[in-house]
Amino acid sequence: MSTSRGVTTTTSYAQSSDEAKTVRARHVGFARASYRGRIIGLTLGFLTLGCALYQHQTPWWFWLGPFTHGFLWPHVGWWLAVTASNPRIAERRNMMVDHVAGGAWIAVIGFNSLPSLLMLSMMCMNSAIAGGVSQLLRGLLAHLLGVAAGVLIFGVHWRPTSTMLDVLVCTPLLLLHPITVGLTAHRLQSKLQSQREHLSRLSRKDALSGLYNRQHWWTMVEAEIQQLQGTGGTSTLVMADIDHFKQVNDAGGHAAGDEAIRRFSSILRQALRSTDIPGRYGGEEFGILLPGTDGVQASEVMERVRALLQQQPLIGGTAVTVSFGVAPFDANTPDATRWIKQADELLYRAKAMGRDRVVLASSSNASDL
């Protein structure tokens, strides 16, 4: 018992460790995307600040802050993010540094309107993307604190009018930043959609067999009944069970049983039409819905499956047989539970008759099921 608990604990720890690595990789990916964007954005931002500083012939030491922020800070911020326990949180702190610095540079350039508003809008856009409203509000507050700090350090220089040169120098940032943000958002949206589709497929499929799982298959059967009751038509439901499955597990272990399930699922996909709906009902039992197919036709299909089982043994060179119960839809069938029960009882009849056979509900015995 203690060994079992130890193995379970070790496995749980390994899984937790793997999950933590996956989460950290996503956080580092976020920091990496921010790092690239920060290099481009702050380089272009320095050009807009430099243009305003140049035009007003400001002292050389006014240039030190924007230069450090534009060319050194992106690399320091990246290092702080990747060495932090949570790179995403660290990157959000880095954005606060950007806001404080951006506010200070507004004072440095004398509140020149175009570059000041451009810096504010770009940094707010980044904060909103990174953390929503709360991050945006924190960024605005940090920006105001930066303006206050800039005024205290550099004094008040009121030069709000932007020149045509300011407009020309700000144009690359005005164009490139929204385009970069848009492309990044599109890439993330596409990735998210792909992940949603993948999760949706996983929620419908049985991991071992690759067929529909019981819940989704049952839903498909219910939908088929509603359509048949509303518009009429023909459909047949089959329940199948691998014969002597316990012996397969006892002889070859659970790995052999899993392989038998996988191979039988593959044979079903090989023999059925694209419109047919196979599912793993549970354990070694399978359900197969054949829309537009009557009982005789469905029996013929199952006989083909039996033939394939002889040609393609489920376990090495040993033939493993399967029994089938075939229940055509009847107008008196009230719901999926009753229909599946009919097919299941026919399956048990096939087992009682010696297994490895297809039993079809006849008009005489269907009412007895």
Side-chain angles (χ1 to χ4, degrees), residues 104-300:
W105 310 150
I106 289 177
V108 167
I109 61 175
F111 297 88
N112 190 321
S113 57
L114 180 58
S116 298
L117 289 173
L118 184 58
M119 279 191 299
L120 176 61
S121 65
M122 298 306 173
M123 291 179 182
C124 285
M125 185 185 301
N126 293 338
S127 291
I129 293 172
V133 175
S134 60
Q135 180 77 5
L136 173 61
L137 293 176
R138 286 195 294 268
L140 287 171
L141 178 60
H143 219 89
L144 289 174
L145 292 175
V147 172
V151 170
L152 289 175
I153 296 172
F154 300 101
V156 178
H157 307 279
W158 185 249
R159 293 186 287 264
T161 303
S162 298
T163 66
M164 180 55 65
L165 183 59
D166 290 320
V167 174
L168 293 175
V169 174
C170 287
T171 297
L173 188 56
L174 278 169
L175 292 175
L176 292 178
H177 190 272
I179 291 173
T180 302
V181 170
L183 290 174
T184 301
H186 174 73
R187 184 168 59 252
L188 291 175
Q189 184 180 24
S190 299
K191 184 177 181 180
L192 180 60
Q193 181 63 28
S194 177
Q195 290 174 340
R196 284 176 176 171
E197 292 173 356
H198 178 63
L199 289 175
S200 178
R201 288 192 296 270
L202 289 179
S203 69
R204 300 195 304 265
K205 294 296 182 71
D206 171 68
L208 179 59
S209 66
L211 304 178
Y212 288 127
N213 59 32
R214 176 171 178 159
Q215 180 179 359
H216 186 72
W217 183 78
W218 190 294
T219 301
M220 301 288 281
V221 174
E222 289 180 327
E224 179 71 4
I225 288 179
Q226 291 177 2
Q227 181 177 340
L228 292 169
Q229 290 174 339
T231 61
T234 303
S235 189
T236 299
L237 189 145
V238 179
M239 296 302 292
D241 188 88
I242 299 176
D243 296 327
H244 302 295
F245 190 73
K246 184 177 184 302
Q247 295 179 13
V248 173
N249 276 332
D250 291 343
H254 289 291
D258 290 349
E259 183 63 18
I261 289 172
R262 280 192 290 266
R263 290 191 180 184
F264 179 61
S265 302
S266 177
I267 287 174
L268 283 179
R269 285 191 291 266
Q270 181 180 339
L272 298 177
R273 303 166 301 179
S274 60
T275 53
D276 297 329
I277 305 169
R280 187 182 178 198
Y281 194 72
E284 69 274 19
E285 190 171 9
F286 296 78
I288 307 157
L289 179 63
L290 298 98
T293 306
D294 62 30
V296 173
Q297 293 169 331
S299 296
E300 292 173 351

Side-chain angles (χ1 to χ4, degrees), residues 236-237 294-296 298-299 324-333 338-339 342-343 345-347 349-350 353 358-369:
T236 299
L237 189 145
D294 62 30
V296 173
S299 296
F324 302 86
V326 181
F329 179 77
D330 185 273
N332 296 322
T333 303
R338 182 58 181 168
W339 197 9
Q342 290 174 353
E345 291 180 357
L346 290 163
L347 170 61
R349 185 173 298 176
M353 294 170 64
V358 177
V359 172
L360 166 66
S362 65
S363 60
S364 60
N365 64 26
S367 60
D368 298 332
L369 296 176

Side-chain angles (χ1 to χ4, degrees), residues 1-14:
M1 291 296 291
S2 60
T3 303
S4 176
R5 285 196 297 269
V7 171
T8 301
T9 302
T10 303
T11 302
S12 300
Y13 177 80

Side-chain angles (χ1 to χ4, degrees), residues 75-95:
H75 311 294
V76 174
W78 165 248
W79 179 81
L80 291 173
V82 296
T83 56
S85 58
N86 189 320
R88 180 179 288 271
I89 294 177
E91 180 52 37
R92 289 178 178 176
R93 288 197 296 265
N94 289 344
M95 289 183 178

